[in-house]
Every structure is written in structure tokens, then in C-alpha cells.
Amino acid sequence: MAKQVLFLLRQANYTSLKSAIGNLFLAVIKFFAFTFTGSLAMQAEAIHSFNDGCAQAAVFVGSVFASRKPTSSFPNGFGRLSNLIVLFVAIFMAYNAEHMIQKSFHVLLAPAASPAAGFFWNIVVLVSAFVVDGFVLYQAMKDIGKEVESPARGWELVKLSLRSYHLATPETRLVFWEDLLATGAIFIAVAGITAAHLGVAPWGDSLAGLIIGVLLFGIAVNVAWENIKGLIGYTAPEEVVEEIAEAIMEVEGVEDLYELDVVQEGAFLDVDGTIELPETMSVGEAEDVKDEIERRLKKIYPNIHNVTLGIHEDDELSRWGSREYVRLRRKAPACKLVKVAVSTRKK
């Protein structure tokens, strides 16, 4: 039992755990700053950090349980458990955001002067939050680079993250977007608090709280939708389909791909397709080809859960080649999607 627990913990997503710890720490600091200054922007920031911390803690817990092997009672494994946990957290996030929007809107109609002494305290807390959120965001970018197998660093890493985030694991995507928006929200909070303190816009603090609340609600809806898709199952990105198709076509004996569907379900991929083989090939040889395909695919994408392949005799039509997936389109291996830690480590 102890060995199994240690094994599951080793496979968990520690990016989300580090982000959860950082955000919950920031939530406590921001809450004390809000209590001292009464700043609505700071209250919104505290709720933002608290929501992010809860969501990422849920992702970490989900990644632990999702690493369990399939059982007789649950033959499809536990990959969707992470999606289910985070979906409930997203509902909680939406509730907090809606409450923040309402409060900020009411105060916006009758803004109150913020304590002068609290301005500098707010700025210090927000600068500290920027350092922590910026560090976590950079770690998430590094994880994206690692998962897409890119050596990019510096500004190139930033561009790579914005361009290829959809090819990273669901957990890393969540951390990346939440901390990217959290970093942006800090600038909004600083602008609102400063405008209110200088008297340029007495309603700046409550307006900043309202904007951050709307951002929070948007994040909650996006997180909920991403995890609903994970529970239902959705088509993998084109790059992933291309690489899987290419790997299948490179197996000796495969003449063409009659059809291919690659679906992401939870943290895993399901491959379902039909290959074209020479009509002279025996049943035993065809089974050997299918076994070789499955071996190669699971080597490329260790998180592939099922490979289901049908057989069709070669009709001499180049279906996949004509779509430039394989024969007419050769390129470097596509970025890897959802490489679950449990699959990439030796048992």
C-alpha cells in the first residue's frame, strides 16, 4: 500500500502543487492587506489568488488519483477524475467571482476614499505577488517547453508558450493561463489603487476590483469548459493526429490509412482507426503489424490508453497521403500532448 502511494505521488503534477502553495500564501497576505486598507482591488486580488490556489491544489490531487492503473471495476482508468475535481472547483470560482463583481459594482456607484497609509502597503504586497506569480508563470512556461520538447529560452520561451500551450498537459495549461492572468490582474490593481490614492479617479479602486472580478469569472467559465471537454472526450490537435498517422504509415506492410480518430479523454488518448494492408497478407501477419503499430504509438505517446485498429484491404487510393498528413508532408515530430508523468517514468 505504501509503495503504491509513493508511486502515485511520484507521478503527480508538481507544477500545480508549487503554484497552489504560492497562490494560497499570496491569498493570505492580500487578505490582510484588504482588511487593513479596505481596498476592493486588493480584495479581488485575494479572491483571485485563493481561487487559483484551490484550483491548482485540486489539479494536483486529481493528478495523483488519475495516475492509478485501470482496475476491474474501472477498466478505463481514472484519467477523467482530474477533470471532474477541477470542474467542481470552477463552479466555486465562478461563485466567488460573481460575489466580487456585485460588491465592486455597488461600491463603484458610491466610491469611498481609501486610507492614505494603506497605499504603500498595497503596493508592497502587489509587488511581492508579482514576483511570486511571475516565478510560477516562468516555471509553467518551462514545463510547456519541456512537454513540447523545445530548447527555447528567454523571449523565445514566452512566444513558444503562447503559441504551443494547447499541446501541454491540462494541468500545465491551467497553471499557465491562471498565472498569466494573475500577473495581468496585478497591473490592473496597481493602476486602480494608484488612481484612487492620487485622486485622479476616486472610483479607480472599485473599478479595478470589478475588472478583476470579470476576469475571474471568465477564467472560471474557461476552466469549466476545458474540463467538460475532457470528461466528454474531444479530438486531439492536428499536430498530434499527424504524428500518430505518420508513425502508423512508417510500419512495414501498412499501405494507407483508411480512417483515423484520435480522441483525448481525461488525461489520456484513444486511437481508433482502420489501416489498409495488402490482400495477400495473412491474418497472423496482420496481427503482427497491429502489435507493432501499438508498440510504436505508445513509445511516442506513453499516455495512449487504447489503440483500436480495423483492417481494410488496399484499394490503391491515397487517402491519407492526399490530405498531406504523411506521404506528402514530412516534418519534425510534432509536439507531444498530455505526457502524463506516470507514463514517462520507470516503474
Side-chain angles (χ1 to χ4, degrees):
M1 181 65 182
K3 287 184 178 180
Q4 183 181 10
V5 172
L6 289 175
F7 173 77
L8 293 177
L9 288 174
R10 283 200 300 268
Q11 318 314 319
N13 186 288
Y14 281 91
T15 298
S16 56
L17 178 62
K18 288 184 287 187
S19 181
I21 293 172
N23 276 292
L24 291 175
F25 171 75
L26 289 177
V28 173
I29 300 300
K30 290 175 180 178
F31 177 77
F32 279 115
F34 157 68
T35 303
F36 177 67
T37 65
S39 168
L40 280 178
M42 186 59 71
Q43 183 186 22
E45 276 292 296
I47 293 175
H48 193 166
S49 295
F50 180 71
N51 282 349
D52 286 354
C54 289
Q56 289 151 5
V59 168
F60 174 75
V61 173
S63 70
V64 173
F65 288 103
S67 301
R68 293 184 60 191
K69 294 181 179 180
T71 65
S72 56
S73 300
F74 300 96
N76 291 327
F78 300 85
R80 301 184 189 184
L81 186 58
S82 176
N83 298 100
L84 186 62
I85 292 175
V86 180
L87 178 59
F88 285 118
V89 173
I91 296 172
F92 174 69
M93 291 169 62
Y95 171 78
N96 283 342
E98 188 271 337
H99 179 73
M100 187 67 233
I101 291 171
Q102 281 191 359
K103 184 172 182 179
S104 298
F105 180 74
H106 289 311
V107 176
L108 183 62
L109 299 178
S114 57
F119 171 74
F120 298 101
W121 173 241
N122 282 332
I123 296 300
V124 169
V125 171
L126 290 173
V127 169
S128 302
F130 178 79
V131 172
V132 175
D133 280 328
F135 174 76
V136 175
L137 178 61
Y138 178 69
Q139 292 298 313
M141 289 181 178
K142 287 176 62 177
D143 285 339
I144 291 174
K146 184 188 302 182
E147 290 170 14
V148 303
E149 299 184 349
S150 171
R153 289 292 182 270
W155 180 245
E156 290 299 320
L157 180 62
V158 175
K159 293 193 291 185
L160 172 75
S161 300
L162 293 171
R163 184 175 63 249
S164 304
Y165 70 90
H166 64 291
L167 295 170
T169 66
E171 295 87 354
T172 302
R173 289 202 306 268
L174 176 66
V175 173
F176 171 70
W177 275 112
E178 286 192 341
D179 280 282
L180 180 63
L181 292 173
T183 305
I186 289 173
F187 287 101
I188 296 173
V190 169
I193 291 172
T194 303
H197 174 71
L198 297 177
V200 176
W203 37 262
D205 182 72
S206 51
L207 178 62
L210 178 63
I211 294 173
I212 295 171
V214 172
L215 285 176
L216 284 174
F217 191 81
I219 294 171
V221 171
N222 180 67
V223 169
W225 173 239
E226 287 294 323
N227 286 276
I228 287 172
K229 289 197 302 182
L231 288 170
I232 298 173
Y234 59 98
T235 303
E238 181 180 333
E239 298 97 319
V240 177
V241 179
E242 288 178 5
E243 187 175 10
I244 288 176
E246 183 170 356
I248 293 174
M249 291 291 294
E250 288 177 349
V251 175
E252 186 176 355
V254 177
E255 298 294 332
D256 202 355
L257 266 168
Y258 191 80
E259 59 183 359
L260 178 65
D261 293 314
V262 182
V263 177
Q264 183 180 343
E265 296 184 348
F268 300 100
L269 297 174
D270 282 344
V271 178
D272 189 0
T274 302
I275 56 176
E276 292 187 6
L277 301 177
E279 59 181 13
T280 58
M281 185 174 286
S282 67
V283 174
E285 291 172 332
E287 290 298 324
D288 290 341
V289 170
K290 290 170 65 177
D291 291 342
E292 175 63 15
I293 289 173
E294 183 170 355
R295 185 190 68 79
R296 291 195 186 190
L297 293 185
K298 289 189 175 181
K299 183 178 180 181
I300 298 172
Y301 289 96
N303 61 310
I304 287 180
H305 186 263
N306 289 315
V307 178
T308 305
L309 294 173
I311 297 175
H312 192 281
E313 68 177 32
D314 183 20
D315 56 10
E316 299 183 355
L317 296 176
S318 181
R319 289 182 174 82
W320 223 255
S322 63
R323 291 165 62 179
E324 296 187 350
Y325 270 84
V326 182
R327 290 175 175 167
L328 304 182
R329 183 175 180 179
R330 296 289 179 180
K331 65 176 185 177
C335 303
K336 304 298 186 288
L337 172 71
V338 195
K339 281 193 171 179
V340 183
V342 64
S343 304
T344 57
R345 290 190 172 95
K346 299 286 186 181
K347 293 183 181 181

